[in-house]
Amino acid sequence: MIRALIVDDEPLARDRLRRLLGRLGGIEVVAEAGNADEACAAMRTVPDLVFLDIEMPGEDGIRLAHRLREADLPPAIVFTTAHADRALPASETAPAGYLLKPIEPEALRAAIERAARPNRCHQSRRPTLTVRLGREELRLGPEHVVAAVAEDKATHLYLLDPADSRRREAWIEPSLNELEERFDGQLLRLHRNSLVNTAQIHSVSHHDGQHHCHVHHLDEPLMISRRAWRSVRDALEE
């Protein structure tokens, strides 16, 4: 299933494209946006593919495409436009496709097939997470994540500084589900409100009917839910 974001300032155009995608199957529209700011916010859903209108109020689709290419997990981009003369400037962003409105189903299908092919951008980028700490900006790989705990509608991230391996902490917007998906298979769910890097697990204890996970660089253990216990046990046995 390909996760798609539709970006178009015209609601009717978004509705039509969503219907066409529904008929094709294999596509999940995870978010919609009417301008560049909304599109950047919607990138938290980590789409695989962005259908991007070129002519929009404010920042146009071509400028936005350049920004999306710098994302931690850059999506494939298919431009949608009613203006054939914008194809050449749009090509500078190396899009996976270019669709003229009104979009025809066969052209849409062909663009999706091209977008689904591996490209150099996706092959060369491993999953990372950018975190701001004051004036610093850290780009973290999964090996730098110690644990993540959901607290007060935000995520409390425990991390190791890539420069000197010091333990640090940050409050970030991505949810546990988003982190789990981004670092697929590399972070282990302990509880509905916590994830841990399996490489950072020190030991597991059991007291008063409750399992706890003791983690390197954390002062207190994290609770393991009954539902998660089996997967935690299996991970430790591997």
Side-chain angles (χ1 to χ4, degrees):
M1 183 69 72
I2 297 174
R3 297 165 56 83
L5 164 64
I6 298 174
V7 184
D8 198 308
D9 64 306
E10 298 179 5
L12 291 178
R14 296 199 303 269
D15 291 344
R16 172 177 166 75
L17 180 52
R18 186 174 61 252
R19 288 196 303 271
L20 288 174
L21 292 172
R23 292 170 190 164
L24 290 178
I27 299 283
E28 178 189 5
V29 178
V30 294
E32 296 183 17
N35 55 50
D37 289 340
E38 291 179 2
C40 289
M43 285 298 293
R44 293 178 57 191
T45 63
V46 196
D48 305 305
L49 174 59
V50 176
F51 292 97
L52 180 55
D53 186 26
I54 292 180
E55 300 291 341
M56 296 188 296
E59 185 177 41
D60 68 17
I62 295 176
R63 292 183 179 180
L64 176 58
H66 283 290
R67 284 210 284 158
L68 297 183
R69 286 297 183 203
E70 298 303 315
D72 292 337
L73 293 173
I77 293 172
V78 172
F79 283 112
T80 62
T81 182
H83 305 279
D85 60 340
R86 300 304 302 274
L88 182 59
S91 67
E92 297 174 358
T93 64
Y98 187 95
L99 295 171
L100 285 176
K101 299 177 182 178
I103 297 171
E104 297 296 331
E106 287 307 312
L108 178 59
R109 186 190 303 275
I112 292 171
E113 290 176 353
R114 287 194 300 272
R117 297 171 190 161
N119 57 60
R120 287 182 299 172
C121 186
H122 285 81
Q123 290 171 347
S124 63
R125 287 178 179 262
R126 67 188 184 115
T128 60
L129 175 69
T130 300
V131 172
R132 289 188 178 276
L133 290 172
R135 296 183 178 180
E136 295 181 87
E137 184 174 274
L138 306 180
R139 178 159 290 186
L140 311 177
E143 70 275 14
H144 302 121
V145 176
V146 175
V149 179
E151 299 180 20
D152 298 327
K153 297 182 180 181
T155 301
H156 192 176
L157 185 70
Y158 298 88
L159 61 104
L160 298 179
D161 193 306
D164 54 20
S165 296
R166 286 183 299 146
R167 194 202 85 166
R168 305 184 72 176
E169 301 178 29
W171 289 93
I172 61 174
E173 291 187 1
S175 67
L176 296 186
N177 288 340
E178 292 172 77
L179 292 177
E180 196 170 24
E181 183 171 354
R182 177 171 298 198
F183 297 122
D184 184 29
Q186 299 176 79
L187 296 180
L188 181 64
R189 176 74 67 163
L190 296 179
H191 196 278
R192 61 182 175 81
N193 68 350
S194 63
L195 295 170
V196 68
N197 184 337
T198 53
Q200 296 294 339
I201 296 177
H202 176 269
S203 61
V204 170
S205 64
H206 185 267
H207 182 68
D208 290 338
Q210 178 64 59
H211 287 93
H212 290 86
C213 184
H214 300 265
V215 184
H216 293 294
H217 308 288
L218 293 191
D219 298 328
E220 299 292 334
L222 297 175
M223 184 182 299
I224 304 172
S225 70
R226 292 183 180 180
R227 176 178 297 181
W229 167 240
R230 178 173 294 181
S231 60
V232 174
R233 183 188 61 192
D234 291 346
L236 294 177
E237 290 177 351
E238 291 180 355

